[in-house]
Amino acid sequence: MSRVAIVGTGHSRFGRRTDVNVGELAFESVKQAIDETGVGRKDIRNVFVGSAGGWYEEPLPAVVVGEYAGLSGAGTMRVEAACASGSAALKAAYNSIVSGDGEVAMAVGVEKMTEVDTPTSVELIGRAGSYMWEFENYGMTFPAYYALYAVAHMNRFGTTEEDMSRVAVKAHHYGSMNPLAQFQKEITVEKALGSQVVAWPLKLYDACPLTDGSAAVVLASEGVAKELTDTPVWIRGVGYSSDTANLSRRSDYVGLSATVEAAKRAYSMAKVTPQDIDVATAHDCFTIAELMAYEDLGFCKKGEGAKMIRDGETELGGRIPVNLDGGLKAKGHPIGATGISMAVEITKQLRGEAGRRQAPTRNGIGLVHNVGGTGHYAYVTVLSRN
Amino acid sequence: MSRVAIVGTGHSRFGRRTDVNVGELAFESVKQAIDETGVGRKDIRNVFVGSAGGWYEEPLPAVVVGEYAGLSGAGTMRVEAACASGSAALKAAYNSIVSGDGEVAMAVGVEKMTEVDTPTSVELIGRAGSYMWEFENYGMTFPAYYALYAVAHMNRFGTTEEDMSRVAVKAHHYGSMNPLAQFQKEITVEKALGSQVVAWPLKLYDACPLTDGSAAVVLASEGVAKELTDTPVWIRGVGYSSDTANLSRRSDYVGLSATVEAAKRAYSMAKVTPQDIDVATAHDCFTIAELMAYEDLGFCKKGEGAKMIRDGETELGGRIPVNLDGGLKAKGHPIGATGISMAVEITKQLRGEAGRRQAPTRNGIGLVHNVGGTGHYAYVTVLSRN
């Protein structure tokens, strides 16, 4: 099978971006990615736009993004897998090149979430469970879904509220070193533990914010990648899977089976094991989600996620540093952009361009983990310098 | 490159479907496609759902469709290219197999549009131009966009209101033979010409309706396709392109450049010419769109679309029969489902299963033409018995 590399990256500032509309916001990343790659616009055969939509005024973001960036004429589609839409766009772009449909493709993720008021936000996110049954009938909102998982994990494995707070503290620590992050201030375990309860045991600092932002990558076939850059980062494996829309039909609430299956597929395709991963991003929409991800991705055994954060194994200097960009929690979570943003972070880590946040990358292998809904979708991507 | 075939088809009844929710509506097609193929659910590696959304209650249709159909666990994403979402899903499914990600994939298109009231419909469709400028600032709705094209075509080439009415009469004629069509009654040129003006020169009978409906196809790699069926229909070529979101930035209004480019790519990939096409579907959201499609697809020279309908060249017995299923105009246009519905029709035509509506298929080659927005996206797919 032909190989595909990330050859260019772009990333907007994340946060409340009332200064731009959705086309302009995407353009910030698209322009950087094109400039970094040095590729001509006409050479970009296909453009895949990851965006969940519903939060902002344009219902056809793909063509709006394309027009503003001077990419009209390319093959274009929008791709949606809830909060994993960015990873889905990356996968679709990867497939387009492997299947012979052009040598260069772009994946752009964009979301503009802060224009709507808070009740609307609660509804829009809450609908991303099973709307008809669990949101409409039972009034479940998104924190409530993840609170179910948190309670089950606490009950089964002895995970504590303090363990979850530690995830938030780590996120804010690295967010403070990321000039593109929405939150760039440190917090303490005490501050996190004392913050307002949203859906017990989850508190304000257990939850990621609503965010405006974009990210973009340019992908190229092996031959073209080597012409365009000396530091290609190869997409070695992509796994994706799905689970039921209704949480009530899940087998348990201590992990996401879609993540387990997606990881299995990605590791198999990349021919690596979890022990080979130097650095990772994990989908920490809530702090409990990051702890479950450690387990579901095979970084530790089931039930030992909390031990990893207690022992500092996922910090810089630890065994597998996770979310050195601040994660969804501190960097922010513009849902269509997040998967691409994660790929940008791991690409920079593997190129040795992460500055103060640089992890050692002995094996040259990194991992991106991106979840849609509460495990409705999961995408795992393995990136590699070789 | 490995070959991919359509090995199973499913199609719901189109119309006002208050009897089902979106998961149930999709299931009608998914079940037929699986039953016809005889493939196991666990063998379907990836499911691509074409749906524009915004019309119905579920914001994550892909997992809802997957759960109801027993397909949870497959790789899943929703794909959106406005009214070409179905073709985009078909392309994504095709790419997944060619790129080696599983031997069997499903593309499902579904939309449920009749739950919202008429003003909301006008807005939802109207937004599918350029929302910020042309809908919000100038009050353009969708009929108004296509009316611009109709006036320009009349002015440049002498196309008449009667020519457009002939397209509607043809659509209703074949719709009357299609038990799944939304409208199954014949009309006359006089009735079409005398119907209420929506946006001059377009009248009620120049416009397709709002529709609930679904369609599905199962795709397989060459090896598996030959095990599953004796009548595979091969995807020989897929071309897609895009144009500006703003109509004001288009070069002219007598055709869709995205269609011209998509067709060029599809013919090139399939190694066929327009003269090789036995039977086609063309995107007739408005009657003028079908006349422009004849020209943009190369079925005739630019400006001669009206002559084709006057001379009966696109009817049964004519040179290239078009929209023998009734087209968007009479069969209906559930926007996410339309591209897949077209592929189902051409597959049945190439298999010789179209009954009273069967076209002669001497070359065994058919074409699907599906447009998103007003040429924001265009997808052209060439299907073949060999």
Side-chain angles (χ1 to χ4, degrees):
Chain A
M1 189 188 299
S2 55
R3 300 212 298 164
V4 175
I6 294 175
V7 294
T9 63
H11 201 294
S12 82
R13 184 166 60 74
F14 278 13
R16 188 174 169 79
R17 298 296 307 274
T18 50
D19 55 323
V20 285
N21 68 23
V22 74
E24 293 163 339
L25 181 57
F27 179 67
E28 294 182 10
S29 297
V30 171
K31 184 176 187 318
Q32 277 176 43
I34 288 176
D35 288 352
E36 185 181 302
T37 314
V39 70
R41 278 172 166 71
K42 290 289 170 205
D43 296 325
I44 299 174
R45 183 67 183 72
N46 291 303
V47 178
F48 298 88
V49 176
S51 194
W55 304 86
Y56 54 85
E57 71 285 2
E58 293 289 356
L60 301 183
V63 288
V64 170
V65 165
E67 175 179 316
Y68 197 82
L71 294 166
S72 297
T76 307
M77 63 177 82
R78 177 167 69 116
V79 165
E80 179 265 313
C83 306
S85 297
S87 287
L90 186 68
K91 170 66 171 160
Y94 170 86
N95 278 3
S96 76
I97 295 176
V98 178
S99 66
D101 182 18
E103 304 283 334
V104 181
M106 176 173 271
V108 189
V110 64
E111 212 78 55
K112 204 157 187 319
M113 304 172 72
T114 69
E115 285 174 14
V116 300
D117 56 25
T118 303
T120 307
S121 295
V122 170
E123 170 164 359
L124 281 169
I125 288 276
R127 281 175 176 243
S130 164
Y131 170 73
M132 199 172 72
W133 288 106
E134 293 175 348
F135 177 80
E136 184 75 5
N137 282 1
Y138 301 127
M140 295 286 283
T141 62
F142 221 67
Y145 289 124
Y146 270 99
L148 287 178
Y149 280 90
V151 170
H153 208 272
M154 291 166 75
N155 191 46
R156 181 91 66 89
F157 302 119
T159 300
T160 67
E161 292 175 73
E162 194 170 333
D163 294 327
M164 292 186 261
S165 292
R166 284 192 181 99
V167 174
V169 170
K170 173 172 78 68
H172 278 261
H173 176 60
Y174 295 116
S176 76
M177 305 180 193
N178 181 353
L180 299 176
Q182 184 162 5
F183 301 135
Q184 300 180 28
K185 58 169 197 240
E186 304 256 7
I187 60 163
T188 61
V189 168
E190 292 67 36
K191 180 161 183 174
L193 276 174
S195 64
Q196 190 181 351
V197 173
V198 177
W200 191 89
L202 301 178
K203 293 166 280 292
L204 186 64
Y205 278 101
D206 290 302
C208 71
L210 298 174
T211 309
D212 305 329
S214 71
V217 289
V218 178
L219 306 188
S221 64
E222 182 156 15
V224 172
K226 289 179 172 172
E227 284 170 25
L228 288 171
T229 179
D230 296 330
T231 56
V233 168
W234 304 96
I235 298 176
R236 281 269 294 272
V238 188
Y240 55 141
S241 187
S242 62
D243 204 344
T244 58
N246 284 289
L247 259 70
S248 54
R249 293 192 180 136
R250 303 274 174 93
S251 54
D252 68 43
Y253 300 90
V254 293
L256 303 182
S257 68
T259 294
V260 173
E261 181 62 26
K264 197 168 77 180
R265 292 176 185 184
Y267 291 140
S268 162
M269 181 174 165
K271 300 188 175 61
V272 301
T273 69
Q275 287 69 44
D276 298 321
I277 307 298
D278 292 314
V279 60
T281 62
H283 194 89
D284 61 323
C285 52
F286 294 92
T287 52
I288 184 64
E290 180 166 326
L291 297 178
M292 293 195 300
Y294 296 166
E295 303 165 359
D296 296 338
L297 293 167
F299 294 171
C300 63
K301 288 185 190 153
K302 193 74 217 164
E304 297 186 353
K307 186 170 183 306
M308 279 195 91
I309 193 82
R310 283 176 212 152
D311 294 350
E313 289 199 284
T314 53
E315 295 176 18
L316 267 182
R319 192 159 52 87
I320 307 181
V322 173
N323 291 341
L324 298 181
D325 56 359
L328 281 57
K329 176 69 200 80
K331 183 184 60 180
H333 180 30
I335 57 185
T338 285
I340 312 273
S341 166
M342 289 172 158
V344 169
E345 168 67 10
I346 296 299
T347 298
K348 287 186 179 293
Q349 289 282 350
L350 293 177
R351 286 183 189 160
E353 297 173 357
R356 291 165 62 204
R357 300 183 288 101
Q358 181 65 50
T361 55
R362 200 177 62 249
N363 301 319
I365 297 173
L367 178 144
V368 168
H369 168 244
N370 191 194
V371 173
T374 54
H376 295 68
Y377 309 86
Y379 281 74
V380 173
T381 310
V382 175
L383 300 177
S384 166
R385 269 202 304 267
N386 298 301
Chain B
M1 187 187 302
S2 54
R3 299 212 300 164
V4 175
I6 295 174
V7 294
T9 62
H11 201 293
S12 81
R13 185 167 58 74
F14 278 13
R16 188 173 168 82
R17 297 296 307 274
T18 51
D19 54 324
V20 284
N21 68 24
V22 73
E24 294 163 339
L25 181 57
F27 179 67
E28 294 182 11
S29 298
V30 171
K31 185 176 187 317
Q32 277 176 41
I34 288 176
D35 288 351
E36 185 181 301
T37 314
V39 70
R41 278 172 166 71
K42 290 289 169 204
D43 296 325
I44 299 174
R45 182 67 185 71
N46 292 303
V47 179
F48 297 88
V49 176
S51 194
W55 304 85
Y56 53 84
E57 71 286 359
E58 293 289 356
L60 301 183
V63 289
V64 170
V65 165
E67 175 179 316
Y68 198 82
L71 293 166
S72 296
T76 308
M77 63 177 83
R78 176 168 69 115
V79 165
E80 179 265 312
C83 307
S85 297
S87 288
L90 186 67
K91 170 65 172 162
Y94 171 86
N95 278 3
S96 76
I97 295 176
V98 178
S99 66
D101 182 19
E103 303 283 334
V104 180
M106 175 172 270
V108 189
V110 64
E111 213 79 55
K112 204 158 186 320
M113 303 173 72
T114 69
E115 285 174 14
V116 300
D117 55 26
T118 303
T120 307
S121 296
V122 171
E123 170 163 359
L124 282 169
I125 288 275
R127 281 176 176 243
S130 163
Y131 169 73
M132 199 172 74
W133 288 107
E134 293 175 348
F135 177 79
E136 184 75 4
N137 283 0
Y138 301 126
M140 295 286 284
T141 62
F142 222 66
Y145 289 124
Y146 271 99
L148 287 178
Y149 280 90
V151 170
H153 208 273
M154 291 166 76
N155 190 46
R156 182 91 66 90
F157 301 119
T159 300
T160 66
E161 293 174 73
E162 193 170 333
D163 293 327
M164 293 185 260
S165 293
R166 286 191 180 98
V167 175
V169 170
K170 173 172 77 68
H172 278 260
H173 176 61
Y174 295 115
S176 76
M177 305 180 194
N178 181 353
L180 299 176
Q182 183 162 5
F183 301 134
Q184 300 181 28
K185 58 169 196 241
E186 304 255 7
I187 60 165
T188 61
V189 168
E190 292 67 36
K191 179 161 183 175
L193 276 174
S195 64
Q196 190 181 351
V197 173
V198 177
W200 190 87
L202 301 178
K203 294 165 280 290
L204 187 65
Y205 278 100
D206 290 302
C208 71
L210 299 174
T211 309
D212 306 327
S214 72
V217 289
V218 177
L219 305 187
S221 64
E222 181 156 16
V224 172
K226 289 179 173 173
E227 285 170 25
L228 288 170
T229 178
D230 295 330
T231 56
V233 169
W234 303 96
I235 298 177
R236 281 269 294 272
V238 188
Y240 56 141
S241 187
S242 61
D243 204 343
T244 59
N246 284 289
L247 260 69
S248 55
R249 294 193 180 134
R250 304 271 174 92
S251 54
D252 68 43
Y253 299 90
V254 293
L256 303 182
S257 67
T259 294
V260 173
E261 182 62 25
K264 197 168 77 179
R265 293 176 185 184
Y267 291 141
S268 163
M269 181 175 165
K271 299 188 175 64
V272 301
T273 69
Q275 287 68 44
D276 298 321
I277 306 298
D278 292 314
V279 60
T281 62
H283 194 89
D284 60 325
C285 51
F286 294 92
T287 51
I288 183 64
E290 180 166 326
L291 296 179
M292 292 195 300
Y294 297 165
E295 302 165 1
D296 295 339
L297 294 167
F299 294 171
C300 63
K301 288 186 190 152
K302 194 73 216 165
E304 297 186 354
K307 186 170 184 308
M308 280 195 90
I309 193 82
R310 283 177 213 153
D311 295 350
E313 290 200 283
T314 54
E315 293 175 19
L316 267 181
R319 192 159 53 86
I320 307 181
V322 172
N323 291 341
L324 298 182
D325 56 0
L328 281 58
K329 175 70 201 78
K331 183 183 59 179
H333 180 29
I335 57 185
T338 286
I340 312 273
S341 164
M342 289 173 158
V344 169
E345 168 67 12
I346 297 300
T347 298
K348 288 186 179 292
Q349 289 282 349
L350 293 177
R351 286 183 189 159
E353 297 173 357
R356 290 165 62 204
R357 301 182 289 101
Q358 181 65 50
T361 55
R362 200 178 61 249
N363 301 318
I365 298 174
L367 179 143
V368 168
H369 167 244
N370 191 195
V371 173
T374 54
H376 295 70
Y377 310 86
Y379 282 73
V380 173
T381 309
V382 175
L383 300 176
S384 166
R385 269 203 304 267
N386 299 299

